[in-house]
Amino acid sequence: MEQHHQYQNFKCHGRSTHESYIRPEEQMLINRQDIITRKDAWDMQEFITRMYIKQLLRHPAFQLLVATLLVVNAITIAIRTNSILGQQHYELFSTIDNIVLTILICEVLLGWLNGFWIFWKDGWNILNFLIVFILLLGFFIHELSVNAITYTLRVLRLVHVCMAVEPLARIIRVVLQSVPDMANIMALILFFMLVFSVFGVTLFGAFVPKHFENMQVALYTLFICITQDGWVDIYGDFQTETREYAMEIGGALYFVIFITIGAFIGINLLVVVVTTNLEQMMKTREQGQQNQINFSETVKEEEYRNNELPLVHCTVARLEMSGLPQEPLMGGPISNLSENTCDNFCLVLEAIQENLMQYKEIREELNT
């Protein structure tokens, strides 16, 4: 009789527990603040805020708005070079400048909210911050509010806009990638120019002081020669009325050697570096696309093969030698985590905990 009475109590408890989650009027309201701590709530809100800010910064409409304003600002700067038009439409141009500056400030602030330390890892973000910072300092420091500085900084911001266009962005990335190699070549050319400037001052300083009086003048002369423009006029000064053939032949050999090594070889090496990096980037891009295509095809084949695989129970999956194929656990994207989803998850956890507590109480009553 006592066991039968306990069994009846178990049924009553089970029925009441089951009915408490079926009837809406008997459901218990749970405050999320009682379940999670303030730090967890702040972390969740911060994560959701950063997620929306990142979506805003990467949204095509926002990027198109910034690009349009910068292009319009560049056009107004070009029009302002005409003093008459600049004075007639001064208020309109000033309003456009202020709007663009405000948008740039908001972009920097949103980047900080998205992640302050992550913001400084991007070189373009650092460039944008420096432009905005110097433009803001122009309101307080008169020397920085000169049109030559403000216009240059505003137009320089267009370089970042070019990164939104993939062909232009590819070329800019190639140029930036080639900077270390080009710097080495430029250092080699500069060393070569220093050596030849010493030769020029020593050999031709007294004969042609106009072009080889000292190191500064000789370097300027060699710079003209390396551009392959104007070296004929420089060599014309070697042909004097007295016709000193030794100097003429020496000057001819001097310019031939320097232009051959400095201009034909040195300058062309810069072009070779850029074209080589461009070819490497194109090959890497093609290989990446091909690998992505192969990966997608492999995934489709595996999905097609695994469409009819049976689901395995957790008890069978725990066995070391189950021998049965299993479906992989696929998690949803982290962007689906919202405040409402977190509240529902907390409610489910609270309900499971309450069921476990009631289950333990029932088991204790049955065991006594």
Side-chain angles (χ1 to χ4, degrees), residues 12-30 354 358:
C12 292
H13 281 290
R15 187 182 299 111
S16 62
T17 304
H18 179 69
E19 291 177 355
S20 64
Y21 293 100
I22 294 180
R23 297 178 183 178
E25 63 273 6
E26 296 181 0
Q27 292 182 358
M28 181 175 59
L29 298 178
I30 301 175
E354 185 177 354
Q358 292 181 0

Side-chain angles (χ1 to χ4, degrees), residues 124 171 208 261 317 331:
W124 294 110
I171 295 174
V208 191
I261 299 176

Side-chain angles (χ1 to χ4, degrees), residues 19 58 78 86 157 177 184 189 202 208 211 216 232 240 262 283 336 349 358:
E19 291 177 355
R58 295 182 178 179
R157 184 61 172 77
Q177 184 180 354
N184 295 330
I189 293 175
T202 304
V208 191
H211 303 293
Q216 293 83 0
V232 177
T240 59
K283 290 180 181 180
N336 292 337
L349 291 179
Q358 292 181 0

Side-chain angles (χ1 to χ4, degrees), residues 193-194 196-225 229-240 247 251 254-255 258:
M193 290 176 63
L194 287 174
F196 266 74
S197 63
V198 173
F199 289 163
V201 173
T202 304
L203 298 176
F204 312 115
F207 183 71
V208 191
K210 178 181 178 180
H211 303 293
F212 295 97
E213 183 180 2
N214 50 37
M215 287 288 295
Q216 293 83 0
V217 177
L219 286 174
Y220 177 72
T221 302
L222 293 179
F223 178 78
I224 295 174
C225 294
D229 185 16
W231 68 272
V232 177
D233 298 332
I234 296 174
Y235 180 70
D237 294 334
F238 282 77
Q239 299 174 353
T240 59
M247 287 296 175
Y254 178 84
F255 286 116
F258 178 77

